Amino acid sequence: MRLAILISGRGTNMERLLEAASEPGYPAEARLVLSNKTSAAGLDTARRADVEALAIPHRDFEDRESFERAMDRALQERGIEIIALAGFMRVLTPWFVGRWSGRLINIHPSLLPKYPGLDTHARAIAAGDEEAGCSVHWVTEGVDEGDVIAQARVPVLKDDTAESLAERVLIEEHKLYPDALAEACRQITRRPAS
Ligand code: GAR
């Protein structure tokens, strides 16, 4: 499946997806990395991996939907079949989510349904949770609400800060996302044609 990865920053999850997608037999092939920020470090990483990297700065558009229409055009032009959000920090409108429904997945640094939104690690520590983790899920209109495809868990340690916990979770994100993306591709392929 022709894959696009949407990022906003450093793109370490994107890098793991690009590595997986370059393996023979992997069910997705990276065609585009798209960022809403020209400064995203992940764009250079993608170029070094010989994958097209494109910035569409959201600030250049007067509203959310015209920004998303520009992204949608870029995705359609390249025949994209599945989109993986990897640290893409813009909330998507119902229009965009509806257009890509069933072909749009996200990685989130919590054990959903716990802690949708921001500051997930600080919230897990403040709540006294004994474990934390990450989830890959289908994207639906509600923020971080879609069905979970896969999760990974880590312990929360006594002296953890949000930063130390984020580091431990990120190691699991890097292992989880390539497998979960492959599973999402398989689920799409198994769906009856509409
Ligand atoms: C990752 O931890 C990802 O789970 C999180 O942003 C980080 C991006 O890191 N995503 C969200 O918080 C989405 N709501 P990366 O750019 O190095 O992959």
Side-chain angles (χ1 to χ4, degrees), residues 16-187:
R16 295 310 174 284
L17 295 182
L18 294 182
E19 282 164 13
S22 67
E23 294 290 325
Y26 192 79
E29 186 192 341
R31 291 294 179 89
L32 178 67
V33 168
L34 204 162
S35 171
N36 64 308
K37 291 191 172 179
T38 39
S39 60
L43 289 171
D44 285 334
T45 314
R47 288 185 190 114
R48 281 198 299 275
D50 273 336
V51 174
E52 185 187 4
L54 184 67
I56 300 185
H58 64 274
R59 292 187 189 286
D60 290 357
F61 297 85
E62 62 186 16
D63 56 37
R64 221 173 254 274
E65 196 163 316
S66 39
F67 159 64
E68 291 181 353
R69 283 190 187 277
M71 284 205 303
D72 185 62
R73 263 195 307 280
L75 295 161
Q76 300 285 354
E77 278 166 11
R78 289 157 183 83
I80 297 302
E81 296 168 290
I82 184 162
I83 302 173
L85 307 180
F88 182 73
M89 302 309 275
R90 303 289 298 166
V91 172
L92 294 164
T93 67
W95 175 78
F96 187 91
V97 171
R99 198 151 164 80
W100 289 94
S101 171
R103 292 181 176 272
L104 181 56
I105 67 173
N106 179 43
I107 187 154
H108 183 75
S110 79
L111 294 171
L112 291 172
K114 273 192 159 180
Y115 314 127
L118 299 175
D119 300 326
T120 53
H121 305 301
R123 287 154 74 198
I125 291 170
D129 291 356
E130 288 180 359
E131 59 175 12
C134 49
S135 309
V136 176
H137 64 97
W138 295 101
V139 176
T140 55
E141 281 187 25
V143 174
D144 302 322
E145 275 182 11
D147 286 349
V148 168
I149 300 164
Q151 288 184 319
R153 292 164 189 275
V154 301
V156 178
L157 305 181
K158 194 165 57 66
D159 297 329
D160 261 335
T161 60
E163 290 71 29
S164 64
L165 181 56
E167 266 176 43
R168 193 173 312 115
V169 171
L170 189 65
I171 292 168
E172 296 307 313
E173 292 186 42
H174 292 165
K175 294 185 240 170
L176 183 74
Y177 211 176
D179 289 348
L181 170 60
E183 171 57 22
C185 290
R186 283 190 286 272
Q187 288 188 22

